[in-house]
């Protein structure tokens, strides 16, 4: 016999089963996605290392500042040493999952049926898992852009505790690398400039909170520098890196030819022997070593950088434009992640001898890493994603849309352009600088596709 409430009971049972299924799916995704993000490290048998990793590891032990090596990130790596750095990779994977699902949530796409395929697409077609599996600051570059977007434009959709966590995460991310901090600062500046035109879409209090993350990140870096070195100073290296890029473009050689007759410069005897690239000059065995490296040449490099900017403005502008364009298309995965990283090996052997055996046993140290096949997928996906995101942004501006997707596409487009200017012009174009950020363009494309499919599903359900 069927009672009058049987229909309601069946409906409630179906709802309960659906909720239980979704809960199970959430837990499976919460476990599976971080593990898949770390698949390269699991395959390698050890966290992936890069040429720059050693410089960060050494900060805790050496107690002095070196160019372009954040003490904040050095302390972060030191905390994971006893776990063979798997603690660091776990944090990076969980932070990635957190930011991905939080972004999808503010876009109304947080259900597991959306999170899982989007995450898998990013894992299979972008550098994201390689960044999460590596002991390097790069994973925090793209994540901090998304975190800043959420905090500023969608702070009202998340809990206070989440906003505090985002604030701390953005500040930490900016403190790990000056280029990341500069991109975040640039986005905040653009936010203040366009706010009069967007009004309530960018709440002043949220933009102020986002801007204060830059201040907090800078304070964090200064505090860490003081704690480890006793110097209340910014991480050095700006002039040296810019000098390397100008040398690569031929500007330094021209300056030396024009001025060595009247200026007593240390580099004058080597003006016809300068290496062809900045990497060869700064990190190879060049006259840079003979002349005392950064300590011995920093003042002279700064002098040449400043004077050459004034004396060759057209050349500098042309070189900067070319470097920016070149950086935009340098997006291949894996630069600097191979078996030839002697500095990093040396630092680990000197300061963390307990890690030598597992490090040496890893596939990377046996030269089993090859990104050729991977980049046959990653590079076209990255370049195509950048084009599509720029089109989404341009179309939204043309149609005068102020929706979330247009604002996210605009944020990512500006971040990619700002990153290309900062890294290309100052450091010179490198694939690593592009790969660490361009995956967020693919993420935007996947969000747009998910929204389009969702709209089609609703249209089909509502049609007679």
């Amino acid at each position: 016999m069927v009672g009058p409430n049987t229909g309601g009971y069946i409906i409630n049972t179906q709802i309960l089963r659906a909720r239980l299924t979704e809960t199970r799916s959430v837990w499976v995704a919460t476990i599976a996605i971080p593990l898949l993000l770390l698949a390269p490290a699991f395959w390698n048998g050890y966290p992936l290392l890069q040429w720059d990793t050693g410089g960060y590891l050494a900060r805790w032990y050496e107690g002095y500042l070196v160019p372009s090596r954040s003490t904040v990130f050095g302390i972060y790596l030191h905390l994971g040493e006893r776990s063979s750095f798997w603690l660091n990779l776990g944090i990076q994977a969980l932070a990635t999952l957190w930011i991905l699902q939080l972004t999808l949530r503010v876009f109304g796409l947080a259900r597991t049926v959306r999170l899982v395929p989007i995450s898998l697409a990013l894992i299979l077609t972008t550098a994201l898992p390689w960044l999460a599996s590596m002991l390097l600051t790069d994973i925090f570059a793209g994540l901090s852009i998304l975190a800043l977007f959420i905090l500023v434009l969608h702070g009202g959709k998340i809990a206070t505790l989440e906003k505090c966590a985002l604030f701390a995460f953005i500040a930490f991310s900016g403190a790990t690398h000056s280029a990341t901090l500069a991109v975040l600062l640039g986005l905040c500046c653009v936010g203040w400039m366009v706010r009069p035109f967007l009004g309530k879409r960018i709440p002043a209090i949220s933009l102020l909170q986002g801007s204060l993350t830059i201040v907090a990140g800078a304070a964090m870096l200064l505090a860490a520098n003081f704690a480890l070195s006793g110097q209340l100073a910014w991480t050095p290296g700006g002039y040296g890196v810019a000098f390397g890029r100008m040398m690569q473009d031929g500007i330094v050689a021209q300056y030396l030819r024009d001025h060595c007759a009247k200026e007593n410069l240390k580099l004058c005897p080597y003006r016809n022997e300068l290496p062809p690239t900045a990497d060869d000059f700064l990190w190879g065995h060049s006259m840079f070593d003979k002349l005392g490296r950064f300590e011995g040449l920093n003042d002279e490099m700064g002098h040449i950088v400043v004077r050459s900017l004034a004396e060759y403005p057209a050349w500098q502008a042309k070189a900067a434009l070319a470097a920016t364009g070149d950086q935009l298309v340098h997006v291949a995965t894996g630069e600097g992640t191979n078996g030839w990283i002697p500095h990093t090996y040396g630092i680990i052997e000197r300061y963390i001898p307990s890690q030598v055996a597992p490090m040496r046993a890893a596939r990377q140290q046996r030269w089993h890493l090859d990104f050729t096949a991977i980049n046959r997928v990653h590079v076209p996906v990255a370049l195509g994603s950048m084009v599509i995101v720029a089109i989404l942004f341009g179309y939204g501006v043309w149609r005068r849309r102020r929706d979330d997707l247009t604002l996210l596409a605009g944020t990512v487009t500006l971040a990619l352009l700002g990153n290309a200017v900062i890294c290309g012009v100052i450091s010179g174009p490198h694939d690593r600088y592009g790969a660490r950020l361009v995956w967020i363009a693919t993420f935007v494309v996947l969000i747009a596709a998910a929204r389009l499919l969702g709209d089609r599903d609703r249209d089909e359900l509502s049609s007679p």
Side-chain angles (χ1 to χ4, degrees):
M1 181 175 179
V2 179
N5 295 323
T6 302
Y9 172 78
I10 293 173
I11 292 173
N12 289 335
T13 301
Q14 291 174 338
I15 293 174
L16 180 60
R17 287 177 178 173
R19 288 178 177 174
L20 288 173
T21 300
E22 177 66 16
T23 300
R24 292 193 194 100
S25 299
V26 168
W27 278 107
V28 170
T30 302
I31 296 171
I33 292 174
L35 291 177
L36 290 172
L37 284 166
L38 299 183
F42 292 138
W43 171 84
N44 185 49
Y46 194 75
L48 296 174
L49 305 174
Q50 207 262 0
W51 181 275
D52 291 350
T53 303
Y56 293 108
L57 287 172
R59 299 289 47 78
W60 176 265
Y61 297 97
E62 293 180 345
Y64 57 84
L65 306 181
V66 299
S68 303
R69 300 293 178 263
S70 165
T71 53
V72 171
F73 192 70
I75 293 171
Y76 162 78
L77 290 182
H78 177 69
L79 296 176
E81 285 180 12
R82 292 187 178 181
S83 69
S84 296
F85 303 105
W86 290 105
L87 173 63
N88 302 97
L89 297 197
I91 292 171
Q92 291 167 193
L94 291 174
T96 303
L97 174 63
W98 172 48
I99 297 297
L100 291 182
Q101 71 83 24
L102 198 55
T103 306
L104 293 177
R105 195 210 306 174
V106 300
F107 275 85
L109 300 168
R111 291 187 61 192
T112 311
V113 71
R114 300 295 189 194
L115 173 62
V116 170
I118 288 175
S119 299
L120 286 177
L122 290 172
I123 289 168
L124 293 173
T125 65
T126 75
L128 184 57
W130 298 93
L131 300 175
S133 296
M134 192 178 301
L135 298 180
L136 204 60
T137 66
D138 293 4
I139 183 62
F140 298 107
L143 293 179
S144 63
I145 302 301
L146 297 174
L148 183 67
F149 172 83
I150 297 167
L151 181 64
V152 173
L153 277 85
H154 296 281
K157 296 181 181 179
I158 60 177
T160 301
L161 182 60
E162 289 176 309
K163 286 194 283 189
C164 293
L166 281 176
F167 186 98
F169 180 81
I170 298 166
F172 169 78
S173 299
T176 64
H177 201 286
S178 295
T180 300
L181 189 70
V183 171
L184 294 171
L185 174 61
L187 289 175
C188 288
C189 291
V190 172
W192 286 110
M193 287 188 288
V194 302
R195 188 179 175 276
F197 305 100
L198 296 178
K200 294 181 179 180
R201 293 297 289 122
I202 306 182
I205 186 64
S206 297
L207 186 53
L208 178 61
Q209 290 171 352
S211 302
L212 287 175
T213 63
I214 311 301
V215 178
M220 191 183 300
L221 182 59
L222 289 172
N225 285 351
F226 181 76
L228 289 187
S229 72
Q231 294 179 266
L232 189 62
W234 197 258
T235 303
Y239 280 132
V241 175
F243 177 92
R245 197 272 302 167
M246 293 181 187
M247 187 206 69
Q248 189 168 283
D249 289 330
I251 296 172
V252 170
Q254 184 61 52
Y255 182 89
L256 293 175
R257 284 193 293 268
D258 292 344
H259 292 269
C260 279
K262 50 188 175 182
E263 288 188 59
N264 184 23
L265 299 172
K266 297 178 183 178
L267 283 168
C268 283
Y270 304 96
R271 60 183 178 274
N272 297 319
E273 305 171 22
L274 296 176
T277 70
D279 288 340
D280 290 331
F281 178 75
L282 295 172
W283 316 117
H285 298 293
S286 71
M287 66 286 299
F288 185 60
D289 294 337
K290 299 177 184 177
L291 297 174
R293 297 188 61 77
F294 290 98
E295 184 176 350
L297 273 180
N298 194 60
D299 291 342
E300 182 166 308
M301 290 190 296
H303 170 78
I304 293 174
V305 166
V306 173
R307 291 290 301 273
S308 63
L309 283 169
E311 295 195 21
Y312 315 114
W315 190 353
Q316 293 279 12
K318 183 180 178 181
L321 187 61
T324 299
D326 203 12
Q327 181 59 70
L328 281 172
V329 298
H330 270 70
V331 292
T333 300
E335 182 187 33
T337 306
N338 51 44
W340 179 248
I341 46 174
H343 179 256
T344 294
Y345 297 156
I347 292 298
I348 292 176
E349 290 169 356
R350 184 184 308 168
Y351 297 118
I352 324 173
S354 63
Q355 295 301 306
V356 172
M359 176 194 70
R360 290 292 184 187
R363 282 186 167 92
Q364 178 183 356
Q365 279 60 258
R366 289 180 281 147
W367 291 85
H368 290 177
L369 266 179
D370 185 355
F371 291 91
T372 304
I374 291 170
N375 281 317
R376 288 181 184 140
V377 176
H378 286 192
V379 171
V381 168
L383 296 176
S385 297
M386 284 196 295
V387 171
I388 294 173
V389 166
I391 291 173
L392 288 172
F393 178 47
Y395 180 76
V397 172
W398 178 57
R399 296 296 298 270
R400 297 185 179 180
R401 289 183 176 178
R402 299 181 181 180
D403 60 292
D404 294 339
L405 185 59
T406 298
L407 293 175
L408 178 59
T411 299
V412 170
T413 299
L414 291 173
L416 290 170
L417 183 59
N419 180 70
V421 172
I422 293 165
C423 295
V425 173
I426 296 178
S427 300
H430 287 77
D431 282 304
R432 177 194 154 200
Y433 302 150
R436 70 186 178 195
L437 207 60
V438 73
W439 67 267
I440 61 176
T442 307
F443 187 36
V444 176
V445 173
L446 292 170
I447 289 174
R451 275 200 160 182
L452 180 61
L453 291 174
D455 291 341
R456 286 181 177 176
D457 291 341
R458 283 191 290 271
D459 291 342
E460 289 176 1
L461 289 173
S462 61
S463 62

